[in-house]
Amino acid sequence: MSDKSQNAIDYWKANLRLISGCLVVWAFVSYGCAILFRPMLAGIHIGGTDLGFWFAQQGSILAFIGLVFFYAWRMNQLDKKFGLDEE
């Protein structure tokens, strides 16, 4: 196998690991904190409401926006590492 094809395989493995990690965090925040763990979070109050409700209404959206920026930042690092950056 040539170095170029091995580099492409390693790049996509790193990319898929990053995507999988982001999906796990998204699922935990969206489904875990907002639905499954809501009864445990009900005793913690933030902004006049319980934390489970906050995650369902705002926290999941903020976590998703944070994940978008994290993914873009990390992909730029991966592109530079594998010599695929635009600069």
Side-chain angles (χ1 to χ4, degrees):
M1 190 177 314
S2 70
D3 284 339
K4 189 174 182 177
S5 62
Q6 185 60 42
N7 192 38
I9 291 170
D10 292 341
Y11 174 77
W12 282 108
K13 282 183 182 179
N15 190 1
L16 290 176
R17 276 195 307 273
L18 177 60
I19 291 170
S20 299
C22 287
L23 284 174
V24 166
V25 170
W26 169 78
F28 176 75
V29 172
S30 296
Y31 295 113
C33 293
I35 298 170
L36 299 175
F37 303 126
R38 187 168 192 272
M40 291 186 289
L41 298 173
I44 303 169
H45 293 281
I46 183 171
T49 187
D50 67 271
L51 189 59
F53 180 78
W54 184 84
F55 267 111
Q57 297 302 311
Q58 296 174 2
S60 298
I61 296 167
L62 293 176
F64 179 73
I65 291 170
L67 281 172
V68 168
F69 283 103
F70 172 76
Y71 178 78
W73 171 74
R74 188 68 182 110
M75 278 306 298
N76 283 333
Q77 286 185 332
L78 283 176
D79 288 347
K80 287 177 186 174
K81 178 181 176 182
F82 289 98
L84 301 169
D85 55 335
E86 295 178 1
E87 296 174 5

